[in-house]
Structures are given as C-alpha cells and as structure tokens.
Amino acid sequence: MGQSQFVSKCTAEAVQAAAKTLLGGNLVAFPTETVYGLGAGALNKQAVGRIYEVKGRPADHPLIVHIHSLQVMERWVQDVPRFAMALARDFWPGPMTLIFKRSTLAQDFITGGQNTVGIRVPNHPVALSLLEAFNNLGGLGIAAPSANRFGHVSPTTAQAVNDELTQYLQPDDQVMDGGPCSIGVESTIIDCTGDVPRILRPGAITEEMIKELTGLSAVMTKSSEESENIRVSGSLEKHYAPAAKVLLDQTPVAGQGFIAPSRRVTPTGVTRLAAPKNSDEFARDLYTALRKADELGLQEVVVEQPQGDGIAIAVRDRLLRASNGR
Ligand code: TXA
Ligand code: MG
C-alpha cells in the first residue's frame, strides 16, 4: 500500500485508534453509506487545511461537519426551523446534509467564510462508531469532503480512496475499509436557512420524501440559477468526472465504454462497464464503472441515463456534470 495506513478490519480497537489519529491532527478516510469521506477534526484548523491540500481543492469551498447524533448539532448551528428538525429526526442517520446558520464553533476554515454550515449524520456503522469515539475524546465533529481529488469521481470503495489519494497522504493518516458504499452517490444537500427547504444537490433523500414528511414543497436549485454567494463545489460546471470523456444517451461504437440499464445489449467492440437492473443499482455502481473506464484507458464512455424519479434524479445530475453538458 501507499504512504498512509490502510485499515482493512475496522474493529472497535481500530476505530478507537482512528479517533486518536484524528485527535492528533491527522487525516482519516472513512466509509459512509453515500461515498467515502476524507476526515479531519472539525475544530483543528491545521488538519482541515491538509484536507484542501490533499484534495487540491480551493480553500473557499465549505466542508460538511459529520456528527454521530442530533444532540451534537446544536453546538454547531443556530436557528433550526421546524421543518429541518423533522427532516433531521426522520432521515438521520442517512444520506442527507442540512445547511444552517452557523454557531461560533463553525469557523471560517470549515464554512469557507460563509455564515452557514453543513451538518450530516451518516448511516454507516464504521462512520458512526468513529464519530462517537471522536466525540468521546472531545472532538465534536469530523469535517469531511468526498475522498477524491478536486473535480474527480467520488470514491465508493476504500481501494478507490487509496488509489486516488495515497500519494498525497502521510504515514500517520489512515484509510479505513468499511466495504463498498451502499448508496453510491453523495448526500442530498438541503438549505434550511429559508422558509422552505431548498435542495442544493439531489441525492437519495428526494423532493417527494421531503414533501411527504414536512408537507412543504422543496425548491430545487438548478445549476444555472445557483445563487452566487453559496459556493457548492459540486455545482461547478465540470465535476464528478473521470478522465474519459462522458457522452450521454447515444449509441456506443467500438472502442468506447458503455454504462446502461441491463436490458440494453452491448454492441460488438464496446466495453460494458455496468449493467444496473434499476436506479438504486445505477447509483451504487456508477462511480466504480467510471473509474474502471480510466483504469482500462478508455477515451470515451457512453452512458444511457436511468429514467424516472427517486435516486435517478441524482444520477442524472451527476452525469450531466461529469459530461459537462456533452
Ligand atoms: O455524501 C456526502 O455528502 C459526502 C460524504 C463523505 O458525507 N460528502 C461530500 O462532501 O460529498 P463534498 O465536500 O465532496 O461535497 C459537499 C458539498 C460541497 O459541494 C460543498 O460546497 C457543499 O456541500 N457545502 C458544504 N457546506 C456548505 C454550506 N454551508 N453551504 C452550501 N454548500 C455547502
Ligand atoms: Mg465531493
């Protein structure tokens, strides 16, 4: 393995050691149900600074603070509206990030200088036990973006994290292997600073689910009309992209990679990278398939997008950004 420590068995002892590693100011990449995160203690300016170095990400992009329970949230935020409390109670732990007005605990190096902060309770046993162990050591929260280089595809396995980041990590940093992510696309980001929820990034928690729970129609932010003073790096034009060119909804030709629902046949000479049976599988397998295209050295990948609502909306959102509108 590379420069960091690869933790292949996340035992209770290993989780405890990882929490101590974080407290010492090192980075720990850990599994969540969406994608792997690259974590640092959220109160440690130097450690958080290293996240930006390792990712190659601009320093004014805000990070999500991960916590293990709703009780910790009030330390980080102010002005939680009723609808947001309902979302937090129902969908956490889960694939959802809520944006609130920040407390003084959420400093500029977390929020990118904005007066808001993103909070998430992930639903993965390793993440939750790491967050709890870190909290018990006085840590209060783990800042973590997806564990990929800036603009690239998010990793959904520990091996993908290792392949992508190991040369930028240091010997005391750790990569924890908690198996492949069950959801496979990043969390739904919901801005809770207004009168109604506003979806900044679609994910597994959908507009319909928000409506059903809160009775409120969420506003969907389209990339074109994104407010300029909220910097959501996932909303930049080209993002979630492999090195290969991603082409949407065309007939693949020999030499190209192909990702499409299982009912589609693979034309001769085309490399099939994934054949998901439904939208959940599409989300789960997409990033691994895009990474495989790069591993195989393919120049172009054709993707036939999943249709319909639910998580298919998030998949199409990421594909649009990966393809940069091609
Ligand atoms: O599923 C996920 O959310 C994963 C796992 C690791 O939790 N994390 C993730 O983090 O995708 P990241 O940094 O790759 O993407 C989070 C997005 C970024 O585009 C960031 O700009 C946005 O959330 N964000 C964070 N805090 C924000 C805030 N206060 N206001 C608006 N956007 C925010
Ligand atoms: Mg990311």
Side-chain angles (χ1 to χ4, degrees):
M1 291 294 164
Q3 313 235 343
S4 55
Q5 298 162 35
F6 192 86
V7 183
S8 49
K9 287 216 164 50
C10 297
T11 58
E13 293 74 34
V15 167
Q16 196 59 35
K20 286 199 182 123
T21 294
L22 280 170
L23 204 68
N26 304 292
L27 304 184
V28 173
F30 61 95
T32 82
E33 79 280 33
T34 57
V35 300
Y36 274 71
L38 178 65
L43 297 173
N44 187 330
K45 184 175 184 181
Q46 256 190 326
V48 171
R50 284 202 51 228
I51 289 181
Y52 289 92
E53 278 171 36
V54 169
K55 279 190 65 94
R57 175 170 169 164
D60 61 352
H61 283 277
L63 297 172
I64 297 170
V65 176
H66 296 69
I67 56 175
H68 75 285
S69 92
L70 194 50
Q71 277 74 53
V72 187
M73 184 172 88
E74 63 191 32
R75 303 288 306 270
W76 289 97
V77 308
Q78 306 177 48
D79 301 343
V80 177
R82 262 230 310 251
F83 74 81
M85 201 44 104
L87 291 170
R89 288 228 169 86
D90 236 65
F91 297 134
W92 278 345
M96 176 184 78
T97 297
L98 300 180
I99 309 283
F100 297 106
K101 194 170 160 207
R102 67 173 168 177
S103 75
T104 51
L105 213 56
Q107 298 172 64
D108 285 348
F109 61 83
I110 292 292
T111 70
Q114 304 183 77
N115 62 0
T116 58
V117 62
I119 306 285
R120 172 159 119 84
V121 182
N123 189 17
H124 190 290
V126 173
L128 284 171
S129 50
L130 177 64
L131 287 162
E132 189 166 9
F134 189 59
N135 189 69
N136 290 343
L137 296 175
L140 277 184
I142 299 178
S146 53
N148 52 279
R149 295 281 289 168
F150 185 64
H152 282 193
V153 177
S154 298
T156 53
T157 64
Q159 192 57 54
V161 176
N162 212 60
D163 292 348
E164 176 138 355
L165 295 185
T166 191
Q167 60 173 308
Y168 305 100
L169 293 172
Q170 292 178 1
D172 286 336
D173 298 333
Q174 296 189 0
V175 176
M176 305 189 83
D177 188 352
C181 301
S182 58
I183 291 182
V185 293
E186 304 79 0
S187 62
T188 306
I189 302 181
I190 307 172
D191 179 355
C192 300
T193 61
D195 294 340
V196 293
R198 197 157 69 95
I199 300 177
L200 301 181
R201 178 175 73 181
I205 302 297
T206 61
E207 206 180 338
E208 293 71 35
M209 292 161 79
I210 296 168
K211 173 97 197 237
E212 196 176 326
L213 181 73
T214 66
L216 298 172
S217 299
V219 179
M220 271 290 242
T221 306
K222 297 270 182 302
S223 51
S224 54
E225 53 191 54
E226 239 140 39
S227 139
E228 282 191 358
N229 53 15
I230 297 182
R231 288 177 291 260
V232 186
S233 65
S235 74
L236 290 180
E237 278 287 277
K238 175 126 184 188
H239 220 81
Y240 309 105
K245 198 187 262 192
V246 175
L247 305 166
L248 301 181
D249 302 325
Q250 9 189 303
T251 305
V253 298
Q256 291 177 327
F258 189 36
I259 299 170
S262 56
R263 63 179 182 278
R264 286 280 172 263
V265 295
T266 310
T268 315
V270 167
T271 306
R272 189 63 171 260
L273 299 164
K277 287 194 281 298
N278 52 50
S279 296
D280 287 343
E281 267 190 36
F282 213 119
R284 202 190 59 204
D285 298 346
L286 177 64
Y287 289 158
T288 299
L290 291 176
R291 281 176 185 278
K292 198 163 154 202
D294 287 348
E295 280 159 30
L296 297 173
L298 298 174
Q299 302 295 305
E300 294 177 332
V301 187
V302 171
V303 186
E304 182 181 320
Q305 304 191 77
Q307 297 303 305
D309 297 340
I311 202 163
I313 293 173
V315 171
R316 294 197 297 271
D317 168 80
R318 303 309 190 276
L319 283 169
L320 187 66
R321 297 171 203 290
S323 70
N324 203 5
R326 269 188 288 258

